[in-house]
Amino acid sequence: MLLDDIKPLTRAPLVDPFGRDISYLRISVTDRCDFRCVYCMSEDMTFLPKRDLLTLEEIDRVATAFVARGTRKLRLTGGEPLVRRDVMSLFRSLSRHITSGALDELTLTTNGSLLDRYASELAGYGVRRINVSLDTLDPDKFRKITRWGDLDKVLGGIEAARKAGIRVKINAVALKGVNEDEIEDLMVWAHGLGMDLTLIEVMPMGEIEPGRIDQFLPLSIVRARLMDKYSLVDDPYRTGGPARYVRVKETGGLVGFITPMTHNFCESCNRVRLTCTGTLYMCLGQEDAADLRAAIRASSDDALLHRAMEEAISRKPKGHDFVIDRRRSRPAVGRHMSVTGG
Ligand code: SAM
């Protein structure tokens, strides 16, 4: 039984030392995934013991405390959020904040493998837009990138989401020598189905087997190549995230660029990230964190939790300093993206 009847009390909004309103919480509901994307995880990942995870009720409690402090957007991610057992009950309970108007958006980032099963239920819980990660339309390449994935399942999932009335945005990590020759095809395909495409530079997070210097493809190059063939017009569209968009005149669709490596996007950062063990990271690219699990388990009253949240936000850094270069053999951040929630 989740906490459907507990409504957030309105409290002072969370504002960080740089005057940024914290209005966006991303929650990694599990570190597990049914894929092993080569830039994200090593093949033999060790996952956390289940007892270390927050329960779904505890996740709801923390999310609700953030909603009370001005969070307007919640994104569930992972790992793969849809592999967490009973995750639909969490969507169901969080949907009360959409119904009450306290929350503008409840959404998720998914690899799409289980979307065919869950799309209509998600739509019923007020999920209106989702991000689906997809780096290639070539089934063999898809299998190589994800190690374990089945492209047809993902395409079927995207179709199911669209049929359920959910707007899908495709996220693709640009990988040197892997999908760089396919970015145009991905764009034409996505725009042909009315979906926007966001491209992401690979970030140095967690140890993986091949070096990231070999995978890193600056989006400035991708953009220049697209401009050889298409008219890209800067577009003011913003989702509150780090992407900067262009409208492609020939297709009518948007392409977003997330460029943490070549262009820092921190000045407007409004987000914090909760891991599945209740650790709050104030910045994707820094190690500093706060333990909210201790705060919620120490007392059933939320006073301690709110104090821990305030204290954490008072330490939110100005920005990250990712670097990928040949002199650094270690990633800038030791944890994998699947831990913090990409
Ligand atoms: N399983 C879900 C998915 O596939 O979207 C959610 C979690 S996944 C970690 C979120 C996003 O992070 C995916 O789009 C993935 O491609 C991206 N990602 C993972 N590792 C990354 C890295 N090192 N650099 C850039 N993006 C990364």
Side-chain angles (χ1 to χ4, degrees):
M1 175 64 183
L2 289 170
L3 311 176
D4 287 357
D5 47 336
I6 298 187
K7 303 268 182 303
L9 296 169
T10 308
R11 295 177 187 242
L14 294 168
V15 181
D16 82 358
F18 304 96
R20 297 171 296 194
D21 288 321
I22 305 308
S23 56
Y24 181 8
L25 176 66
R26 299 171 66 105
I27 305 173
S28 175
V29 295
T30 175
D31 62 331
R32 288 164 200 255
C33 189
D34 49 350
F35 291 179
R36 291 287 180 280
C37 296
V38 290
Y39 51 81
C40 184
M41 292 188 181
S42 62
E43 191 158 15
D44 59 341
M45 290 288 287
T46 312
F47 293 109
L48 295 162
K50 293 213 167 109
R51 63 175 181 278
D52 287 356
L53 303 195
L54 293 186
T55 64
L56 296 177
E57 288 83 354
E58 287 171 329
I59 295 175
D60 183 292
R61 187 174 157 198
V62 176
T64 298
F66 271 93
V67 171
R69 305 299 297 269
T71 285
R72 305 288 312 175
K73 176 168 172 177
L74 283 179
R75 179 181 299 278
L76 303 199
T77 176
E80 172 48 42
L82 297 181
V83 304
R84 171 101 191 226
R85 187 200 289 259
D86 209 20
V87 72
M88 285 300 124
S89 65
L90 179 61
F91 277 101
R92 181 175 63 75
S93 71
L94 292 174
S95 72
R96 74 191 185 280
H97 300 312
I98 294 281
T99 309
S100 75
L103 201 59
D104 295 329
E105 187 166 11
L106 175 60
T107 185
L108 75 154
T109 298
T110 174
N111 64 25
S113 66
L114 294 170
L115 262 183
D116 57 343
R117 191 185 307 167
Y118 293 123
S120 54
E121 215 177 324
L122 287 168
Y125 297 142
V127 174
R128 297 279 162 263
R129 301 188 306 171
I130 59 173
N131 292 348
V132 178
S133 304
L134 177 62
D135 303 326
T136 178
L137 292 171
D138 172 330
D140 293 331
K141 213 186 275 183
F142 185 80
R143 170 78 60 179
K144 278 191 191 124
I145 294 175
T146 60
R147 292 193 179 104
W148 298 355
D150 175 354
L151 179 64
D152 279 343
K153 283 284 291 170
V154 172
L155 296 179
I158 291 172
E159 203 37 44
R162 296 176 64 239
K163 277 208 183 111
I166 298 175
R167 211 175 144 74
V168 176
K169 179 163 76 69
I170 301 296
N171 281 348
V173 177
L175 298 163
K176 187 155 90 185
V178 178
N179 64 356
E180 62 177 300
D181 57 337
E182 250 201 281
I183 304 254
E184 179 188 342
D185 293 350
L186 266 173
M187 177 187 85
V188 170
W189 167 76
H191 289 181
L193 292 174
M195 305 184 291
D196 296 327
L197 169 71
T198 293
L199 301 170
I200 307 171
E201 285 176 346
V202 75
M203 293 174 237
M205 300 190 66
E207 299 279 2
I208 51 167
E209 291 95 11
R212 279 206 176 78
I213 186 77
D214 299 323
Q215 302 174 338
F216 178 59
L217 174 65
L219 289 183
S220 48
I221 295 182
V222 175
R223 189 180 170 128
R225 285 181 191 156
L226 287 175
M227 281 168 77
D228 283 343
K229 239 177 122 177
Y230 297 90
S231 315
L232 310 185
V233 182
D234 283 337
D235 195 281
Y237 178 72
R238 294 280 183 274
T239 58
R244 295 293 170 265
Y245 289 88
V246 294
R247 172 86 51 194
V248 182
K249 267 199 177 161
E250 290 78 358
T251 62
L254 289 171
V255 176
F257 295 91
I258 299 185
T259 54
M261 307 305 299
T262 54
H263 177 256
N264 186 300
F265 49 59
C266 305
E267 63 284 349
S268 58
C269 182
N270 59 352
R271 64 194 56 196
V272 287
R273 293 173 154 88
L274 184 73
T275 72
C276 54
T277 55
T279 302
L280 188 75
Y281 283 97
M282 286 70 84
C283 173
L284 180 63
Q286 304 277 3
E287 300 287 4
D288 188 30
D291 180 6
L292 299 189
R293 186 179 60 184
I296 51 176
R297 290 192 179 166
S299 150
S300 58
D301 183 277
D302 279 349
L304 265 183
L305 171 62
H306 280 283
R307 224 173 301 140
M309 285 159 48
E310 285 159 14
E311 204 276 322
I313 300 305
S314 77
R315 301 201 316 261
K316 183 167 163 68
K318 196 163 181 196
H320 64 248
D321 40 28
F322 285 137
V323 188
I324 297 181
D325 72 28
R326 295 196 182 275
R327 283 160 298 170
R328 281 208 201 196
S329 55
R330 286 155 47 93
V333 171
R335 60 188 191 276
H336 291 88
M337 188 73 103
S338 53
V339 172
T340 330

